[in-house]
Amino acid sequence: MTTEAPQQTMTGTAYADQLLEMYRRMRRIRRFEERASELYKATEIPGFLHLSIGQEASAVGACWPLTARDGITSTHRGHGHVLAKGLDSASMMAELMGKEAGTCHGRGGSMHIADPGLGIYGANGIVGAGLPIAAGVATAAKLRAAGDVVVAFFGDGAVAQGMFHEAVNLAAVWDLPVVFLCENNHYSEFSPAAEQHRAPLSARAAGYGIGYAHVDGNDVLAVAGLMNDVVARLRAGGGPVLVEAETYRWHGHYEGDPERYRSPEEVVAAKKGDPLLIARRHLAEAGVPAARADDIDEEVDNEIEAAVEWARSLPEPAPETLHDFVSAPRRAVPEPAPIPGDAEIFRSMDAVRLALEHELTADPSVFVAGIDVGAGGNVFGLTRGLAQAFPGRVRDTPISESAIIGTAVGAAMAGMRPVVEIMYMDFIGVCLDMLLNQAAKLRFMTGGRASMPLVVRTQFGAGRSSGSQHSQSLEALLAHIPGLTVVMPSSPADTYGLLRAAIQDPNPVVFVENRLQYGFKGPRPAEGHLLPLGKAKVVREGTDVTLVSWSRMVQDCLAAAELLAAEGVSVEVVDLRTVAPLDRETVLASLAKTNRLVIAHEAVRDFGVGAELAALAVDEGFWHLDAPVTRVAPPAVPAPYAPSLERLWLPSRDTIADTVRRIAAV
């Protein structure tokens, strides 16, 4: 990829050759999208199709000074960006047609094309979502200190998204090498920009304390010249810059858009600023014969037509590949030997810090980020001292949950192993898109091209009158999202072994701690202690009833089992440890032995993980059942604040024991 943009003062063959290459790239984008439009109308391309015809100069000019090491993030209108960054047109056409040989094996389609190997960290169907991801890629670049930069493309409509604010603010605070490049085509879907915003981008940039530049987005020479200067400043250590490239999209928001929001006359007038015509004028001024541009037109037409014919000839993904790319394969981790009885005693809070310290020491790609995790050592003091021990790798963030998770997503794709913290599990709702649509899905949507080794640490716990917004157990919400691993340890040793395993895992893991257990004490395992993810454990053997739980409530279950043992009831307690993926085999094996199943959890009963376990029992374990499957869980009421109501709402050792006692008697 060319690393320098031509200047208008240059003359001679080199200048002409660079202009011709710019024109070639723009013409490739134009013809690719023209053919895509025709194929969509002929139903050869399924789904949605958003075209950037008329915006080719901003894509090519912005990517002109970038190398293969540099990164971009894109939008749902991203064909031009990824072609300009170097993606081949043939595999991309196959992807649009949903073919197995497509860029993403037919899993992404038009809106989700990515190839991190080329520095393309994803087009995105969620408006504004690429911006926090770009901050993550730029964080990786800054930590590596190799001079790489990132360009985050977005449209003027994305400025209304909270993700825009969070990403730009984080990039400013961290001085990240990222260009936020707005292709201002004056329409946010169907609405003119004047109806969407009151402040211009120049004022917004000043408000964030970052640089700003405006450029004619239809003039590839102007865009490339500006970006050459901006990128050079970033490589030298400069902070983020917001670039506004003013342009126009010729087609509607999507193919099939009736375009009632603008007049045909407006579109005709805009086409007078055709980026390809402007580029041809530059070629003429440089003394390049029109025939050379005509030859490029013919070459590109042939290239795109060959891509179409090749893509047409390919098979779609085979049925047996349906489950491919959801998660990366895990390495086998055996259950460790039992911890010696005379082992040192430590707390769950010590386990968290020691696990983070171990992985930060062992792997330079690991970094920790979150609200007050650095100098403040986390709200519970769990990370105290780590920022001093690992300078630059334990990073405080603004209170910006979407930016925190988006940074983890981008950094993971760029080869890091981020461990980020969301202070309370309740706040997952603030950044759910970054978990639901980005971390969980990007490996699948990119056909395995995107690597996603990240950990989101968070905590929950009712019982201390924290109220309805600081007490929720939301694991069922997360477990329902394909691609996410959800871990909930119940003891200090498990916290240490599972957190280390989560950080080493190639998949996105949500690691949920119970804050009421931070002071809980237990035997300290050896430094190398590691536990398998996705594997439950029988923590107490029994013969009469299987009692399944996870997190802090395992301790209540063990206490209930001890109480019932004095009454002659033998209870087998199973600790799930990992909620998703669910270890069905261990639960079913225990059920086959006891023929009775009780499930206890802190999340509200309705639609929870307990319901999934009950369904498992009556489906695959039906012939083992001698009694109803029963759940012990809070009613479908938000966590109360008043202690009297919270005690009534939350299961305890006694309510668990009462339920088991009743089922054992059936």
Side-chain angles (χ1 to χ4, degrees):
M1 184 80 54
T2 306
T3 57
E4 290 189 12
Q7 305 299 312
Q8 294 189 38
T9 55
M10 290 176 61
T11 58
T13 302
Y15 178 59
D17 287 346
Q18 291 189 64
L19 281 175
L20 283 166
E21 180 56 27
M22 286 182 173
Y23 179 77
R24 180 189 303 278
R25 297 180 189 184
M26 291 167 59
R27 185 67 173 74
R28 178 179 290 120
I29 296 168
R30 174 69 59 86
R31 188 57 189 152
F32 182 95
E33 295 210 303
E34 287 173 345
R35 287 297 282 127
S37 178
E38 295 164 3
L39 293 165
Y40 186 81
K41 290 171 185 172
T43 70
E44 292 189 67
I45 290 177
F48 295 109
L49 190 69
H50 305 79
L51 301 181
S52 62
I53 293 175
Q55 300 181 189
E56 297 86 356
S58 58
V60 171
C63 291
W64 188 257
L66 303 183
T67 69
R69 288 176 54 93
D70 298 315
I72 68 167
T73 61
S74 184
T75 71
H76 56 276
R77 200 180 312 283
H79 305 149
H81 307 144
V82 298
L83 285 170
K85 187 61 170 67
L87 193 64
D88 70 287
S89 56
S91 69
M92 188 167 157
M93 187 64 76
E95 182 62 30
L96 266 61
M97 291 186 181
K99 301 302 180 72
E100 176 63 38
T103 307
C104 302
H105 298 291
R107 270 64 171 186
S110 172
M111 290 190 287
H112 307 116
I113 292 174
D115 187 349
L118 294 174
I120 299 168
Y121 293 96
N124 212 296
I126 308 297
V127 172
L131 303 178
I133 293 172
V137 179
T139 299
K142 181 160 186 170
L143 288 171
R144 292 192 180 108
D148 303 335
V149 303
V150 183
V151 176
F153 290 97
F154 65 102
D156 49 283
V159 176
Q161 283 279 352
M163 287 183 285
F164 167 83
H165 161 74
E166 292 192 23
V168 177
N169 185 59
L170 178 69
V173 170
W174 283 3
D175 288 316
L176 296 178
V178 58
V179 181
F180 294 101
L181 196 143
C182 177
E183 293 178 303
N184 186 353
N185 60 30
H186 302 285
Y187 283 94
S188 302
E189 294 193 352
F190 309 149
S191 301
E195 296 179 4
Q196 299 285 303
H197 318 289
R198 288 293 179 264
L201 282 174
S202 56
R204 292 178 185 274
Y208 292 114
I210 66 173
Y212 169 83
H214 179 277
V215 68
D216 179 359
N218 292 335
D219 186 340
V220 68
L221 200 59
V223 178
L226 170 68
M227 287 295 290
N228 190 61
D229 293 339
V230 169
V231 168
R233 287 200 298 273
L234 264 63
R235 293 200 199 284
V241 177
L242 198 160
V243 172
E244 182 176 12
E246 202 156 352
T247 182
Y248 195 86
R249 59 170 162 83
W250 293 10
H251 285 221
H253 170 60
Y254 58 88
E255 289 301 278
D257 176 2
E259 298 186 67
R260 296 190 180 95
Y261 49 88
R262 62 184 183 182
S263 68
E265 292 77 17
E266 177 184 314
V267 178
V268 170
K271 288 184 177 181
K272 294 178 182 177
D274 184 345
L276 271 67
L277 293 179
I278 292 172
R280 275 184 170 256
R281 286 202 293 269
H282 285 312
L283 287 167
E285 291 165 1
V288 178
R292 292 192 66 183
D294 293 341
D295 289 342
I296 288 175
D297 289 350
E298 184 177 355
E299 291 170 15
V300 168
D301 288 350
N302 292 336
E303 173 196 329
I304 300 303
E305 205 54 42
V308 170
E309 292 306 315
W310 178 74
R312 277 175 171 159
S313 71
L314 298 171
E316 295 179 340
E320 59 268 21
T321 67
L322 174 63
H323 297 277
D324 290 359
F325 312 119
V326 177
S327 297
R330 290 192 162 100
R331 69 183 179 92
V333 175
E335 283 285 347
I339 302 171
D342 60 350
E344 176 188 350
I345 299 300
F346 78 149
R347 302 165 298 175
S348 290
M349 62 189 301
D350 303 321
V352 172
R353 182 181 56 78
L354 289 168
L356 292 174
E357 184 177 46
H358 187 286
E359 296 306 313
L360 283 163
T361 301
D363 187 347
S365 70
V366 174
F367 72 92
V368 174
I371 301 164
D372 293 326
V373 300
N378 158 284
V379 69
F380 298 102
L382 305 180
T383 57
R384 195 167 293 149
L386 291 181
Q388 293 74 29
F390 302 95
R393 293 173 59 202
V394 181
R395 308 176 69 86
D396 284 326
T397 68
I399 304 175
S400 303
E401 284 81 5
S402 289
I404 292 169
I405 305 298
T407 295
V409 170
M413 280 199 287
M416 306 297 284
R417 288 186 176 271
V419 183
V420 297
E421 179 179 309
I422 299 299
M423 191 179 290
Y424 286 84
M425 195 179 192
D426 312 71
F427 304 164
I428 288 292
V430 180
C431 55
L432 188 58
D433 174 72
M434 282 293 149
L435 283 171
L436 168 70
N437 287 317
Q438 311 303 328
K441 293 188 174 73
L442 278 173
R443 187 176 194 277
F444 180 80
M445 291 192 303
T446 63
R449 287 181 182 268
S451 181
M452 202 57 60
L454 66 88
V455 175
V456 179
R457 281 188 51 253
T458 190
Q459 53 79 29
F460 79 109
R464 295 286 175 85
S465 290
S466 296
S468 299
Q469 294 181 346
H470 286 73
S471 304
Q472 296 170 89
S473 186
L474 302 173
E475 66 270 19
L477 181 71
L478 300 172
H480 191 69
I481 301 171
L484 286 186
T485 296
V486 183
V487 178
M488 299 182 73
S490 67
S491 70
D494 281 8
T495 298
Y496 178 82
L498 289 169
L499 182 53
R500 284 194 58 226
I503 296 170
Q504 294 179 22
D505 198 70
N507 298 294
V509 179
V510 183
F511 193 90
V512 186
E513 302 148 13
N514 189 297
R515 67 176 174 274
L516 273 67
Q517 282 199 298
Y518 282 143
F520 183 61
K521 296 178 180 179
R524 177 175 173 174
E527 184 181 3
H529 187 71
L530 203 62
L531 290 173
L533 300 182
K535 184 67 177 172
K537 183 179 181 181
V538 176
V539 292
R540 182 187 176 108
E541 298 279 352
T543 57
D544 296 333
V545 179
T546 295
L547 179 56
V548 179
S549 192
W550 50 96
S551 191
R552 185 186 66 84
M553 199 149 285
V554 169
Q555 304 305 326
D556 289 329
C557 290
L558 288 169
E562 187 68 24
L563 183 69
L564 290 165
E567 303 172 17
V569 179
S570 176
V571 179
E572 180 150 298
V573 180
V574 177
D575 180 0
L576 286 185
R577 301 195 300 196
T578 301
V579 171
L582 186 63
D583 182 356
R584 292 168 166 81
E585 292 76 14
T586 297
V587 174
L588 288 171
S590 180
L591 176 59
K593 180 167 64 170
T594 68
N595 308 121
R596 288 169 173 81
L597 178 62
V598 175
I599 306 137
H601 56 77
E602 192 167 321
V604 295
R605 173 177 147 146
D606 294 7
F607 309 103
V609 176
E612 180 63 27
L613 287 165
L616 173 68
V618 299
D619 180 7
E620 298 181 41
F622 179 78
W623 299 109
H624 298 304
L625 287 171
D626 288 342
V629 179
T630 307
R631 291 167 287 163
V632 186
V637 173
Y641 168 75
S644 61
L645 294 178
E646 189 176 38
R647 284 193 298 270
L648 180 66
W649 177 83
L650 191 64
S652 66
R653 178 200 70 170
D654 293 334
T655 55
I656 294 168
D658 286 344
T659 303
V660 174
R661 194 179 287 118
R662 175 169 58 84
I663 294 302
V666 173

